[in-house]
Amino acid sequence: VITIDTTDDETPDVQPKETEISEGIRLDSTQDYISKLDIDRPLLIVAGAGSGKTTTLCARVIEMVKRGVLPASILVITFTNKAAGELKERIKKYMDISQKDYDGHMPFASTFHSWCYSLIMRNHRRVGLPECPMIAATESEHAAVLKIALERIEDSRMLVQCETMLGITVDSGPLFKLGDERLSPVFVDNADSRWAIIAAMTKERLGVTVDQIIAQNASSGAAADKTAAAKSKKKFGAQAQAAADEMSITRSLYYHLFEHLANKIKLSGLEPINYAARFGGKDAITTVMGFIYRAKSRGDQPKDYPQCEGAVLDAYNATLKRFNLLDFDDMLKMANDLLDIPDVLTSVRTQFPYLLVDEFQDLNQLQMSLVLKMQKGVGRVTAV
């Protein structure tokens, strides 16, 4: 990797001298030198704020086109939609000034997330998704998903206690030990079959059906209209309604069984979980979302954490999946998964043999992985 550090006074050969015009772009001697370095080798440009890094990046794009690279085969990645838009405008302006015949085809300037989503839209079936997921793009949407995820954790805790009251033995594996559900988060995904067994045994043992229990508990705190899932129907549609309906059943079952069976086996009820205290903050949702953002930006999995943190991360991810949603880190991870498929990687490398990355210092682990997968063994990457 060639590194040009424009802050180093000991590199006089590439220090700024007089201003000159190169291919319609006003460049100093350092920028001109950097823009013309070998386009088929990796290049890392290190420079301070306000030193003209973006101009140099655009000049390097023009140099690639000048040397015969098709504009549409150049991918320019940055971090914000605003920055991507500005890059597009500047590159078009410079290409117009340099009078290159590019037939209206432009380099593809995009954010990491936008490019990843375009890859997912074309290839989602390759990772087992029949429909392309929608994007949960705002903090309020992430918070709404988390609230439903925490309710699903409560349902999982109730599930374990219902099985205990009915004497149902289920191997929980390494996820948690029986009894942990009283004080800690536990999460069981795809538990429909287990709830069905609970409903059948409740009818057998207590002579009452689920519909009868729901009618009895309609005015209790277990009512579906009290849940975050019910309140999110407008935001997440049919999936939120289905989750709310399920909670109406599961919570009514739990309350009924606890009322009639808990004392007989001396079972203590579920203790409320103080998520703010568990995750070291004041506001539960804000604090837990901060943990989730950090974990997912590193590509961490629930198994990488203790039970409490792992259960919360697992429930959040599972709720996104259930609603056919992706958050920003999911897009990066799914794009990485797609690039692990040989023919998808070959297609991407064929479409974009040249890659330029702005604000390289801000890349997280998932973004760095994407860059390495696209360019490993190729080396036609410029990073600023």
Side-chain angles (χ1 to χ4, degrees):
V1 176
I2 303 170
T3 304
I4 303 298
D5 186 344
T6 61
T7 64
D8 185 356
D9 292 332
E10 297 181 2
T11 54
D13 291 341
V14 294
Q15 287 305 298
K17 296 177 182 177
E18 61 202 35
T19 299
E20 59 187 41
I21 301 295
S22 177
E23 291 300 320
I25 310 173
R26 185 171 295 276
L27 303 173
D28 62 35
S29 57
T30 299
Q31 293 169 322
D32 186 56
Y33 171 85
I34 293 171
S35 70
K36 294 178 179 177
L37 289 170
D38 190 346
I39 64 172
D40 291 316
R41 294 184 62 192
L43 173 65
L44 174 63
I45 304 169
V46 181
S51 57
K53 298 189 298 295
T54 303
T55 297
T56 306
L57 192 73
C58 294
R60 192 150 173 83
V61 171
I62 301 304
E63 182 66 23
M64 291 176 178
V65 176
K66 177 183 176 182
R67 297 187 190 186
V69 176
L70 294 176
S73 67
I74 301 171
L75 175 61
V76 186
I77 293 290
T78 187
F79 275 84
T80 67
N81 290 323
K82 180 180 179 182
E86 290 175 352
L87 278 171
K88 290 177 184 177
E89 291 179 5
R90 292 177 70 169
I91 290 171
K92 184 178 187 306
K93 174 184 175 183
Y94 296 153
M95 290 180 72
D96 288 341
I97 292 173
S98 63
Q99 297 180 339
K100 294 299 174 188
D101 183 14
Y102 56 92
D103 295 327
H105 293 102
M106 292 288 297
F108 191 84
S110 174
T111 65
F112 268 105
H113 296 110
S114 294
W115 181 80
C116 287
Y117 192 55
S118 69
L119 181 68
I120 292 166
M121 283 193 294
R122 296 192 303 271
N123 297 282
H124 57 88
R125 291 182 179 83
R126 302 298 302 276
V127 286
L129 298 177
E131 296 182 4
C132 184
M134 302 296 288
I135 304 302
T138 67
E139 291 184 2
S140 65
E141 289 175 330
H142 302 161
V145 170
L146 176 59
K147 290 175 183 178
I148 297 172
L150 296 182
E151 288 181 342
R152 297 184 72 197
I153 285 175
E154 288 304 297
D155 268 22
S156 296
R157 299 173 74 205
M158 293 177 184
L159 169 73
V160 175
Q161 285 213 329
C162 284
E163 291 173 335
T164 300
M165 288 184 281
L166 291 168
I168 302 171
T169 302
V170 178
D171 181 12
S172 62
L175 298 177
F176 57 87
K177 295 179 181 178
L178 197 63
D180 286 348
E181 79 284 346
R182 274 202 61 246
L183 303 174
S184 299
V186 297
F187 180 65
V188 179
D189 197 13
N190 300 317
D192 292 352
S193 61
R194 291 169 67 171
W195 279 112
I197 293 172
I198 290 170
M201 289 193 65
T202 300
K203 181 180 179 182
E204 179 184 326
R205 291 272 299 273
L206 301 180
V208 63
T209 66
V210 170
D211 289 341
Q212 290 170 328
I213 293 173
I214 291 175
Q216 293 173 12
N217 292 341
S219 60
S220 73
D225 62 357
K226 302 291 185 181
T227 64
K231 294 175 183 177
S232 298
K233 287 185 288 186
K234 289 184 178 180
K235 189 181 293 287
F236 299 131
Q239 292 288 357
Q241 179 62 61
D245 292 343
E246 289 176 12
M247 288 176 189
S248 174
I249 295 171
T250 57
R251 297 187 178 201
S252 294
L253 267 172
Y254 172 76
Y255 295 136
H256 189 85
L257 287 172
F258 195 86
E259 179 183 353
H260 290 85
L261 299 178
N263 285 338
K264 294 181 180 180
I265 62 171
K266 298 182 179 180
L267 179 69
S268 299
L270 300 173
E271 293 290 332
I273 298 173
N274 187 335
Y275 286 100
R278 288 286 185 98
F279 286 82
K282 294 182 179 180
D283 176 76
I285 299 301
T286 301
T287 303
V288 175
M289 278 310 316
F291 157 74
I292 290 172
Y293 289 146
R294 291 189 297 274
K296 297 190 71 169
S297 71
R298 296 189 293 260
D300 294 348
Q301 300 299 313
K303 63 180 176 60
D304 299 326
Y305 291 94
Q307 179 183 310
C308 176
E309 292 88 342
V312 169
L313 183 58
D314 193 13
Y316 178 81
N317 287 336
T319 302
L320 282 170
K321 184 176 180 180
R322 174 170 179 167
F323 291 178
N324 197 34
L325 294 172
L326 298 175
D327 63 15
F328 292 128
D329 290 310
D330 288 329
M331 282 190 274
L332 298 174
K333 183 180 183 306
M334 190 170 291
N336 269 285
D337 292 342
L338 285 167
L339 292 184
D340 287 334
I341 302 173
D343 63 291
V344 174
L345 177 60
T346 298
S347 174
V348 169
R349 286 182 165 187
T350 301
Q351 182 181 8
F352 296 117
Y354 291 88
L355 174 64
L356 297 95
V357 183
D358 197 15
E359 304 296 345
F360 184 73
Q361 73 280 358
D362 292 331
L363 266 63
N364 63 28
Q365 292 179 19
L366 291 171
Q367 291 161 336
M368 179 65 77
S369 178
L370 286 170
V371 172
L372 293 176
K373 287 178 181 179
M374 283 190 281
Q375 286 291 319
K376 183 177 181 181
V378 180
R380 298 189 185 102
V381 57
T382 298
V384 176

